[in-house]
């Protein structure tokens, strides 16, 4: 890449990520998505992070298989790579409580560090939102809260959204609350990112 | 000129964030499947592109737009087909098309080489900010379009696949159906066999049912037979015929009696089912069938039927009733009762004696034979006539049909009487006529017995006529009584020949004073009623001869002794052979007195009117003079002959119809007057009268005639007319004078002149000739005679004809008759029918410029109005002269203007050339200068180390020289622009402007610690913003520059508002200048300081001065060397 | 669409001094993008043909308006009406802000203008930015490419 300043189109300097990374990954091809995620996990593992993969339609078996294809012996890394189903993760009591979810993840992150890992990488497939009765505004609220949560317990979190299922306006909203995004396999700074408080103000104004 | 304020001067600016957004959009689009979603996503994503204030995205027919609160309508530039066609949708979204504002909008189409899928629309609020991003946006659009196209292709591919699959499926289904059909057929066969078996079982059952039914029927029939015999027993033991038929006249059943009777009558053995109508003879059939039909239609028919059986006449009363069963008529039941005996008795009664019958029939008195119950057996025609009916009709009536109810009681009594005494009446009652009238009749009757039967004979007499006569008599008696009694005069009925009073009326006493009792039995002589007994004798003899006397004037001796005047009338009448005298006396005493009074009043009035000094005449309804004043007679020269009683029209036969009409109107009730009216006299003289006519009324209110007040005002009128004419002349002169002085165009003056002239002389013809050397050109003509054409006027020359002579002699010429005037040499005027002429020369000082000709077809005396006409002529003259002068002036002015225009054009061309020169000079100078500057810089930067001290110094000099040159060129350019560019007048906010300028120098100010004071009025001034900006910039720069050597530099910028201007000053505490050099400081290239100390181009102040001049303001300065300088500006508000 | 990984800048300028200075200026600021030069309008139009047959497109065009043979405005017009090359940003070079041709240039679709002499610092930043944009767009990673997401 060219040597250009840090707030340019693509940048991923270390400085940014050590404060926690909230990335959104918008995909429309399952195969490509699997490969990308597999790469992401592999990199994370190679840097000594624990991986938490919250699955929905992609089964743990598939993802492990893919990682294996990349040449990593995933079975040997039991503790390093953990999969969880989305019900347990997001709606443990049947209800979605953003704060408790984030708290849990925070705890998990701290635990990882306590266990000797350099950090936690979390990925969540957000398809379940469409099946639930969660309103869009609630979802946005959750995502904005992630930002604050990151400040307390930094980790790397990827929210995966299937572009085929979510509508255009919602995708734009989602973009607006993720400081980073994954495009073409690269993580770049998201030019559409708006600070949570500004976003919520605009969002509510638009709703009315 | 592009708006420079918002565009950075050098590098185009691209915000990486914006570029990043576009990039994200471009990559993310692939992921979003459906077009609506894509549109939303794009729209949101493109929300804040710099230089735009509104975004709309359209994909196919889905439109999405962000509205930043603008309520404006958005307009699309030169559209793609799709955009244009689908404006309707855009309209619904609040966007519509308007050609004018196209430049405000930037539209990118989402299009591939195949198709246009939609567009992205931006509203521009700063085109230059947006321009750098355009390529990227267009690229984005291409990507979107391609993506949409791919998707579309995919979709169609999928559709095709689906189609294929569907047809395959279809085929399979078809095959299945076929097999299915075969199986079904098989099943059907099996089913039909089962059906056959079922049918067999059914028929068995049927036979069983039949047998049981037969049993039932047998039993019913037995029951029926029993009831039949019962019925038979019932009907057969009677002496009446009973039978019934069905709807086809077939016999259903009958009793023995009927059967026997039928056999006896028709020799037919009756059987059940026989058609009873068929066997009858035609007449009988015609008789019976309608009756049966009536019964069959539901009527209950009863009638009497007579038949001769074996020579014997039998009578029956037949009753037919319809037989109903379940609501339907199934036949007729009939009953026939033998009434022969009764009939016979009646018959006998009727035919006992032919004579009696004849008597009966022809009796003029109404006779009726009726039964005890009042029903009529027989009536004679007379009776029927009383009722206004025929005999047949009458027989059908019952008693109460013809008797009004009010006679009920009387009838009852009579009946009672009848029953007791066997006789009733005579009594009077009324019968009800067929047409409803009540007929008075006189009745009497008796009972008689015949063959054991009791009947009543009645005779009925129509007493209508008698009654009428009686009534009439009573009526006339009453009438006569009334008249007699209430006659206004006194009426006496006396017998003849003695004249003795038989009867007097009510007024007799009032008028004569004698009461009825006193008068009865006496004649008028006895009562000494006649004042003059001779009069009486005269009256009576007249009466003898004529039989009647009318209104004989005589005086009456009232009983009181007073004498009353009256009118006596008398008439001899015959009543029942005897002669009587009816005489009346009307008291006219009062009236007579009134008449006398009236007469006397009339006399007085007459005297009064005759002697009044005014002219008054009074006419009756036939316009005959009743009275006329003496003055009237003299005024109208009526002289001595008596006019009273003669018709007005006879005396003044010359009265025009018009006045007769007026008289008629007034006789009808109108009041008319006139202030002046022409009255041509028979002598030929024309008099003018002032008159008033009003109707006068009789006592009772009807119009008796008219009163005429009049005054002959002929003399006065003449004087008035003269005055009016003088006035008109003056007014005409006034108008003409004003018009002429108003107008400066020769044509207008001429046309006004002839118009006014013509009008002034009662629309006669006026000509206007203007002199052209020896020729006289006709320039104006006004004539009330439309047929008179200008072209017919031949060329006139000075000295020829009356007009020409007027010019050559220089004085006005009048001719009362041009035919006899030798001076008139042209035939045209005569040919046109003009008789009199006047020619007035138009003189200005010594020169005669033309002539006015006036012509009339009558022999008018123009000379009599010479004063007026000549005055007009002189006015026309001055008008023409003025017009001519004015034309000259105009011509000169036009010439001047043309010259000025030429000069201005030349100047403009020169200016443009100069501007182009300056522009290209500066432009072309800048290029090599750039080279010098850039390369010298490069040298300095890259090769300085290869130069020695001197070399570097040289380089520095080169650089500073080129920099100076650049400044010079820039300033020169600015100065030259001041000359040529347009200075606008806008409201400029001083504080904002100055603060902006100071901000530009902010760095320097900060670095040097310059103290800046700004105190400006808040009100805006009117100036050209760029110009004022340049001026202030220069002054500020100067202030900053010349305070460079001061320890505590301070610059003050202030302003003060005055009424029409604003004073601004820029004051510094710098080096100042010597006021001796003041005049030159505003000159170009004039510098008072050295270049080293204070670098500058020497053009700055020249620019300031020129700019202020162009803005309509002023600049001046003051200074004290070493203390600083203050420059003042005067800016208009 | 650009079809190459490394970009170029097309400079259309007749004055050789200007060309030289521009190239030097780029070099000084380490703009490594290739600068391709056309010396007059006709040469500029010739580039169209070269692009047609597959030569890579520049990511920015610097266009002087005063050109011999074919006028700068004409070149601009042809550029901006071409269905493929219109997406290339064009910066018009002018020696004076009051050049009346600037208006005309914007009408034809110029994306910005610079008054000579060019401030190359800022300019090169922007050019680099545009370069990156195009490259990122065009860079379609192969499936088995490991993407570096370094130092997370």
């Amino acid at each position: 890449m060219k040597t250009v300043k840090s707030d340019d189109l693509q940048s991923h300097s270390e400085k940014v990520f050590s404060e926690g990374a909230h990335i959104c990954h918008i995909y429309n091809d399952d195969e490509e998505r699997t490969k990308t995620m597999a790469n992401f996990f592999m990199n994370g593992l190679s840097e000594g992070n624990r991986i938490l993969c919250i699955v929905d339609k992609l089964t743990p078996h598939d993802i492990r298989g893919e990682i294996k294809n990349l040449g990593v012996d995933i079975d040997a890394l039991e503790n390093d790579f953990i999969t969880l189903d989305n019900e347990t993760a997001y709606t443990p009591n049947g209800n979605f409580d953003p704060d408790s979810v984030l708290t849990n993840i925070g705890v998990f992150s701290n635990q990882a560090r306590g266990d000797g890992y350099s950090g936690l990488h979390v990925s969540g497939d957000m398809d379940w939102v469409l099946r639930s009765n969660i309103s869009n505004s609630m979802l946005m609220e959750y995502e904005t809260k992630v930002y604050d949560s990151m400040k307390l317990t930094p980790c790397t979190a990827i929210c995966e959204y299937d572009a085929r299922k979510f509508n255009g306006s919602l995708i734009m909203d989602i973009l607006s609350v993720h400081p980073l995004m994954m495009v073409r396999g690269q993580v770049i700074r998201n030019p559409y990112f708006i600070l949570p408080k500004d976003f919520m103000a605009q969002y509510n104004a638009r709703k009315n | 000129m592009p708006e420079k304020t918002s565009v950075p001067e050098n590098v185009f600016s691209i915000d990486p964030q914006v570029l990043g957004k576009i990039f994200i959009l471009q990559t993310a689009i692939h992921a979003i499947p459906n077009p609506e979603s894509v549109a939303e996503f794009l729209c949101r994503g493109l929300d804040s592109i710099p230089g735009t204030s509104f975004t709309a995205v359209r994909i196919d027919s889905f439109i999405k737009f962000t509205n930043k609160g603008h309520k404006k309508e958005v307009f699309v530039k030169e559209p793609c087909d799709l955009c244009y066609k689908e404006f309707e949708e855009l309209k619904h979204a609040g966007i519509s098309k308007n050609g004018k504002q196209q430049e405000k909008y930037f539209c990118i189409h989402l299009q591939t080489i195949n198709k246009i899928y939609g567009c992205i629309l931006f509203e521009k609020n700063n085109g230059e900010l947006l321009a750098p991003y355009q390529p990227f946006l267009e690229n984005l659009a291409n990507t979107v379009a391609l993506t949409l196209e791919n998707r579309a292709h995919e979709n169609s591919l999928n559709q095709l696949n689906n189609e294929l699959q569907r047809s395959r499926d279809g085929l399979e289904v078809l095959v299945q159906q076929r097999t299915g059909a075969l199986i079904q057929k098989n099943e059907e066969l099996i089913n039909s066999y089962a059906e056959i078996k079922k049918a067999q079982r059914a028929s068995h059952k049927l036979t069983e049912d039949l047998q049981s039914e037969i049993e039932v029927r047998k039993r019913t029939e037995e029951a029926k037979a029993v009831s039949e015999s019962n019925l038979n027993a019932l009907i057969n033991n009677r002496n009446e015929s009973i039978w019934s038929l069905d709807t086809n006249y077939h016999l259903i059943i009958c009793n023995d009696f009927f059967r026997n009777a039928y056999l006896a009558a028709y020799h037919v053995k009756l059987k059940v089912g026989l058609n009873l109508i068929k066997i009858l003879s035609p007449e009988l059939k015609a008789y019976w069938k309608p009756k049966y039909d009536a019964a069959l239609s539901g009527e209950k028919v009863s009638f009497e039927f007579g038949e001769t059986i074996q020579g014997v006449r039998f009578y029956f009363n037949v009753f037919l009733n319809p037989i109903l069963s379940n609501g339907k008529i199934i036949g007729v039941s009939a009953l026939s009762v033998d009434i022969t005996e009764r009939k016979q008795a009646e018959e006998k009664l009727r035919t006992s004696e032919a004579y009696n019958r004849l008597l009966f029939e022809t009796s003029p008195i109404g006779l009726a034979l009726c039964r005890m119950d009042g029903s009529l057996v027989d009536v004679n025609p007379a009776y029927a006539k009383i009722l206004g009916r025929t005999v047949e009709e009458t027989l059908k009536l019952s008693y109460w049909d013809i008797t009004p109810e009010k006679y009920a009681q009387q009838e009852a009594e009579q009946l009672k009487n009848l029953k007791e005494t066997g006789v009733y009446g005579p009594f009077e009652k009324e019968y009800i006529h067929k047409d409803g009238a009540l007929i008075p009749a006189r009745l009497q009757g008796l009972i008689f017995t015949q063959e054991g039967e009791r009947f009543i004979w009645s005779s009925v007499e129509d007493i209508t006529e008698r009654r009428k006569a009686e009534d009439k008599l009573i009526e006339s008696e009453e009438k006569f009584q009334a008249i007699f009694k209430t006659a206004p005069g006194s009426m006496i009925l006396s017998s003849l020949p003695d004249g003795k009073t038989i009867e007097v009326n009510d007024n007799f006493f009032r008028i004569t004073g004698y009461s009825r009792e006193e008068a009865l039995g006496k004649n008028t002589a006895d009562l000494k009623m006649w004042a003059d007994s001779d009069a009486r004798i005269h009256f009576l003899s007249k009466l003898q001869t004529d039989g009647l006397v009318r209104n004989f004037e005589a005086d009456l001796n009232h009983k009181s002794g007073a004498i009353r005047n009256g009118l006596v009338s008398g008439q001899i009448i015959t009543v029942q052979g005897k002669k009587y005298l009816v005489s009346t006396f009307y008291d006219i005493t009062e009236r007579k007195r009134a008449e006398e009074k009236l007469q006397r009043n009339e006399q007085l009035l007459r005297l009064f009117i005759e002697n009044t000094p005014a002219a008054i005449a009074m006419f009756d309804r036939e316009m005959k003079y009743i009275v006329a004043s003496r003055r009237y007679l003299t005024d109208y020269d009526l002289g001595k002959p008596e006019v009273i009683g003669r018709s007005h029209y006879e005396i003044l036969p010359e009265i025009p119809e018009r006045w007769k009409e007026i008289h008629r109107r007034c006789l009808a009730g109108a009041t008319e007057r006139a202030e002046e009216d022409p009255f041509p006299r028979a002598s030929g003289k024309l008099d003018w009268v002032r008159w008033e006519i009003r109707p006068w009324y009789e006592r009772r209110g009807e119009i008796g005639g008219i009163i005429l007040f009049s005054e002959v005002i002929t003399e006065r009128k003449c004087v008035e007319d003269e005055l009016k004419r003088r006035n008109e002349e003056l007014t005409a002169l006034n108008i003409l004078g004003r018009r002429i002085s108003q107008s400066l165009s020769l044509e207008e003056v001429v046309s006004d002149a002839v118009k006014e002239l013509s009008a002034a002389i009662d629309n006669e013809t006026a000509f206007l000739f203007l002199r052209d050397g020896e020729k006289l050109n006709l320039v104006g003509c006004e004539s009330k005679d439309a047929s008179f054409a200008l072209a017919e006027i031949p060329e006139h020359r000075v000295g020829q004809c009356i007009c020409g002579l007027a010019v050559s002699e220089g004085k006005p010429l009048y001719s009362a008759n041009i035919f006899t005037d030798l001076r008139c040499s042209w035939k045209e005027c005569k040919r046109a029918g003009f008789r009199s002429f006047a020619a007035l020369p138009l003189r200005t000082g010594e020169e005669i410029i033309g002539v006015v000709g006036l012509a009339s077809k009558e022999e008018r005396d123009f000379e009599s109005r010479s004063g007026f006409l000549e005055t007009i002529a002189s006015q026309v003259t001055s008008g023409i002269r003025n017009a001519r002068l004015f034309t000259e002036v105009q011509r000169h002015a036009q010439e001047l203007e043309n010259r000025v225009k030429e000069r201005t054009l030349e100047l403009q061309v020169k200016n443009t050339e100069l501007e182009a020169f300056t522009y290209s000079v500066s432009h072309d100078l800048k290029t090599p200068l750039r080279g010098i500057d850039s390369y010298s810089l490069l040298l300095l930067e890259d090769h300085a180390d290869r130069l020695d001290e001197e070399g570097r110094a040289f380089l520095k000099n080169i650089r500073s020289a080129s920099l100076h040159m650049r400044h010079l060129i820039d300033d020169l350019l600015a100065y030259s622009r001041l000359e040529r560019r347009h200075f606008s007048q806008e409201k400029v906010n001083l504080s904002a402007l100055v603060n902006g300028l100071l901000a530009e120098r902010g760095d320097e100010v900060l670095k040097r610690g310059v103290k800046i004071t700004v105190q400006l009025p808040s009100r805006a001034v009117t100036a050209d913003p760029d110009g004022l900006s340049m001026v202030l910039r220069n002054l500020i720069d100067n202030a900053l520059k010349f305070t460079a050597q001061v320890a505590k530099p301070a610059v003050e910028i202030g302003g003060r508002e005055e009424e029409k201007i604003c004073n601004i000053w820029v004051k510094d505490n710098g080096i100042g200048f010597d006021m001796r050099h003041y005049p030159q400081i505003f000159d170009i290239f004039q510098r008072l300081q050295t270049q080293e100390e204070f670098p500058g181009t020497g053009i700055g102040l020249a620019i300031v001065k020129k700019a202020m001049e162009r803005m309509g303001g002023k600049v001046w300065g003051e200074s004290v060397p070493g203390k600083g300088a203050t420059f003042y500006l005067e800016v208009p508000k | 669409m650009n079809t190459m990984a490394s970009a170029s800048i097309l400079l259309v300028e007749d004055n050789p001094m200007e060309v030289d200075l521009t190239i030097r200026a780029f070099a000084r600021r380490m703009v490594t993008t290739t600068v391709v030069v056309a010396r007059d309008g006709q040469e500029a139009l010739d580039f169209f043909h070269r692009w047609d047959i597959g030569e890579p497109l520049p990511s920015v065009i610097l266009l002087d308006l005063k050109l011999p043979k074919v006028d700068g405005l004409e070149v601009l017009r042809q550029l901006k009406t071409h269905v493929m090359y219109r997406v290339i940003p064009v910066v018009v070079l002018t020696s004076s802000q009051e050049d009346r041709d600037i208006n005309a240039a914007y009408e034809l679709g110029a994306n910005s203008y610079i008054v000579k002499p060019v401030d190359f610092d800022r300019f090169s930043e922007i050019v680099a930015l545009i370069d990156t944009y195009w490259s990122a767009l065009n860079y379609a990673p192969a499936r088995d490419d490991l993407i570096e997401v370094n130092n997370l």
Side-chain angles (χ1 to χ4, degrees), chain A residues 37 41 51-55 58 60 63 81-85 121-125 160:
Chain A
M37 291 317 293
F41 292 144
I51 313 287
L52 171 63
C53 177
I54 304 176
V55 293
L58 197 62
I63 187 69
F81 187 81
I82 302 170
T83 55
L84 193 61
D85 66 288
H121 284 194
V122 175
S123 81
D125 184 343
E160 300 185 79

Side-chain angles (χ1 to χ4, degrees), chain B residues 1 9-12 14 22-23 26 128 131-132 135-136 138-139 923 927 930 934-935 938 941-942 977, chain C residues 15 18 20-21 24 28 86-87 89 91 95 97-98 103 111-113 115-116 119 123 126 133-134 136:
Chain B
M1 290 272 167
E9 259 206 26
N10 275 337
V11 181
F12 67 116
I14 288 187
I22 298 177
F23 172 74
Q26 202 144 347
E128 284 72 44
F136 308 102
E138 292 189 17
N139 203 29
H923 195 269
T927 310
R930 230 186 352 263
S934 303
Y935 280 113
L938 278 174
E941 285 179 357
D942 293 349
R977 273 186 58 239
Chain C
N15 185 335
E18 300 275 355
D20 183 50
L21 286 168
R24 282 183 193 279
R28 294 177 94 72
R86 56 189 296 173
V87 299
V91 182
S95 35
Q97 220 171 23
E98 292 147 30
N103 260 344
N111 301 108
S112 187
Y113 75 96
V115 178
K116 293 193 275 197
D119 172 359
F123 182 72
I126 305 263
Y133 171 84
W134 285 127

Side-chain angles (χ1 to χ4, degrees), chain B residues 206-317:
Chain B
L206 216 66
T207 355
E208 285 173 13
D209 288 341
L210 212 67
Q211 279 190 334
S212 53
E213 222 184 89
I214 290 176
E215 284 285 328
V216 170
R217 204 165 280 177
K218 232 205 244 169
R219 257 170 289 175
T220 357
E221 277 192 14
E222 281 167 20
K224 227 200 218 167
V226 169
S227 63
E228 248 189 68
S229 42
N230 283 340
L231 191 67
N232 270 337
L234 191 68
I235 62 175
N236 278 328
N237 300 330
R238 297 179 68 93
N239 284 336
E240 291 117 353
S241 302
I242 303 175
W243 72 106
S244 61
L245 329 155
D246 67 11
T247 51
N248 291 322
Y249 316 108
H250 293 226
L251 183 65
I252 301 176
I253 194 168
C254 68
N255 67 351
D256 291 332
F257 195 86
F258 183 71
R259 205 171 287 135
N260 295 337
Y262 225 80
L263 191 61
Y266 304 117
H267 309 288
V268 171
K269 213 150 181 220
L270 283 177
K271 287 198 289 219
V272 169
L274 198 63
N275 188 331
L276 287 182
I277 293 291
K278 245 208 182 131
I279 55 173
L280 293 174
S281 70
E283 309 93 57
L284 282 174
K285 200 188 280 184
Y287 183 79
W288 279 98
K289 188 165 178 306
K291 297 212 164 24
Y292 280 131
D293 286 338
L296 282 170
S297 67
E299 266 182 62
K300 286 200 185 164
V301 189
S302 70
F303 57 94
E304 282 187 10
F305 176 61
E307 207 170 22
T308 313
I309 306 175
Q310 293 171 356
V312 183
R313 189 98 180 135
F314 286 94
Y315 292 94
F316 302 94
N317 226 352

Side-chain angles (χ1 to χ4, degrees), chain B residues 551-602:
Chain B
N551 295 331
F552 182 86
E553 224 175 289
D555 292 336
L556 167 78
N557 280 331
H558 195 270
K559 182 175 175 194
S560 61
I563 305 279
R564 314 287 300 175
N565 313 106
L567 295 171
V568 187
S569 305
Q571 184 162 355
I572 300 179
I573 59 170
T574 313
V575 177
Q576 295 182 345
K578 277 198 74 190
K579 285 202 162 44
Y580 296 92
L581 170 65
V582 180
S583 54
T584 55
F585 177 82
Y586 285 104
D587 188 339
I588 57 165
T589 323
E590 298 306 323
R591 196 181 77 181
K592 241 181 141 45
R593 297 232 174 100
E595 271 177 23
E596 280 163 18
K597 203 164 173 190
L598 195 65
Q599 260 184 333
R600 210 190 65 205
N601 284 344
E602 254 187 61

Side-chain angles (χ1 to χ4, degrees), chain B residues 1-2 4 7-16 19-20 22-23 26-27 113 127-128 130-140 142-143 915 919 923 926-928 930-935 938 941-942 966 973 977 980, chain C residues 1 15-18 20-21 24 28 59-60 62 66 80 83 86-91 94-100 102-103 106 109-120 122-124 126-127 129-130 133-134 136-137:
Chain B
M1 290 272 167
K4 295 177 292 303
V7 175
E9 259 206 26
N10 275 337
V11 181
F12 67 116
S13 67
I14 288 187
D15 182 357
L19 210 54
I22 298 177
F23 172 74
Q26 202 144 347
T27 39
I113 41 174
E128 284 72 44
L130 172 61
Y133 301 101
Q134 266 167 239
F136 308 102
L137 291 169
E138 292 189 17
N139 203 29
L140 171 67
N142 283 345
T143 315
E915 178 210 301
Y919 176 76
H923 195 269
K926 272 195 183 172
T927 310
R930 230 186 352 263
I932 298 171
D933 186 52
S934 303
Y935 280 113
L938 278 174
E941 285 179 357
D942 293 349
R966 176 128 64 93
L973 249 182
R977 273 186 58 239
R980 58 179 167 89
Chain C
M1 254 322 182
N15 185 335
M17 268 203 318
E18 300 275 355
D20 183 50
L21 286 168
R24 282 183 193 279
R28 294 177 94 72
S59 55
V60 179
L62 295 174
K66 300 269 177 309
K80 284 299 175 185
V83 65
R86 56 189 296 173
V87 299
I88 309 173
V90 172
V91 182
T94 166
S95 35
S96 158
Q97 220 171 23
E98 292 147 30
D99 197 326
R100 64 207 78 181
I102 294 181
N103 260 344
Y106 266 101
N111 301 108
S112 187
Y113 75 96
I114 303 179
V115 178
K116 293 193 275 197
V118 180
D119 172 359
F120 281 103
R122 185 85 184 106
F123 182 72
S124 29
I126 305 263
V127 168
L129 189 63
I130 298 176
Y133 171 84
W134 285 127
L137 271 183

